[in-house]
């Protein structure tokens, strides 16, 4: 009987090792797949006029994701703790390599080159995006 117990213990340990090796292979495969399919989006917002904000400095940079939301709320991609920024202020989207911006629910508005962005509008590199009194430049 003791030999059978030892044999069963070895089988259990072998099973656990094989299970962990399998899980490791699954994690590696998923990681490779995610890295291969992740689109490379190049876009940054650079602060060019901080307005009355005490939280931003001229030259601060924010990296953009394919869909970026800006606001004070905790669910935004870029969180700006400033009284001139609404909880859900603006959304930037990248479609086919081009950026589009839209005002969401802001009090002070979202503007592209001084034009209101109430509907989604195209933003080119070098364009100025104003969120209330704060001005950003879109850079690729």
């Amino acid at each position: 009987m003791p030999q059978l117990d030892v044999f069963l213990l070895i089988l259990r340990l072998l099973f656990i090792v094989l299970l962990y090796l399998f899980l490791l292979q699954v994690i590696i495969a998923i990681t490779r797949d995610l890295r291969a399919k992740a689109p490379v989006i190049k876009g940054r917002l650079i602060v060019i006029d901080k307005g009355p904000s005490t939280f931003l400095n001229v030259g601060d940079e924010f990296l953009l994701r394919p869909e970026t939301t800006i606001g004070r709320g905790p669910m935004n991609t870029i969180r700006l703790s400033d009284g001139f920024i609404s909880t859900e202020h603006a959304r930037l989207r990248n479609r086919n390599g081009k950026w589009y911006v839209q005002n969401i629910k802001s009090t002070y508005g979202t503007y592209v080159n001084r034009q209101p962005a109430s509907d989604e509008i195209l933003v080119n590199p070098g364009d100025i995006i104003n969120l209330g009194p704060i001005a950003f430049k879109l850079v690729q």
Side-chain angles (χ1 to χ4, degrees):
M1 274 312 215
Q3 290 178 345
L4 183 62
D5 289 340
V6 170
F7 179 72
L8 289 175
L9 178 64
I10 291 172
L11 279 178
R12 287 181 186 157
L13 291 174
L14 183 61
F15 177 74
I16 290 172
V17 168
L18 289 174
L19 181 63
Y20 277 109
L21 286 173
F22 172 75
L23 290 175
L24 179 64
Q25 290 297 322
V26 168
I27 291 170
I28 289 170
I30 290 172
T31 305
R32 282 185 193 151
D33 191 44
L34 289 175
R35 285 186 188 157
K37 291 183 180 178
V40 178
I41 303 296
K42 294 183 180 178
R44 295 176 289 144
L45 287 180
I46 299 175
V47 178
I48 59 169
D49 183 358
K50 68 181 196 125
S53 173
T54 57
F55 298 98
L56 296 172
N57 295 307
V58 172
D60 285 351
E61 292 188 18
F62 300 93
L63 295 177
L64 299 176
R65 294 185 181 168
E67 182 164 333
T68 300
T69 56
I70 303 172
R72 278 195 330 247
M75 299 303 291
N76 290 294
T77 312
I78 298 175
R79 289 186 60 202
L80 300 174
S81 300
D82 193 282
F84 293 99
I85 302 296
S86 297
T87 304
E88 295 176 348
H89 199 105
R91 175 183 301 115
L92 283 112
R93 292 183 190 184
N94 188 290
R95 286 194 307 242
N96 300 320
K98 296 184 180 189
W99 288 100
Y100 296 84
V101 68
Q102 181 180 12
N103 188 56
I104 302 176
K105 298 176 187 174
S106 71
T107 302
Y108 293 100
T110 302
Y111 299 86
V112 176
N113 299 326
R114 299 186 180 180
Q115 299 299 316
S118 52
D119 294 322
E120 193 172 70
I121 60 172
L122 178 66
V123 185
N124 295 305
D127 284 351
I128 306 302
I129 300 171
N130 286 81
L131 305 178
I134 301 168
F136 299 88
K137 181 191 270 187
L138 176 68
V139 179
Q140 290 288 59

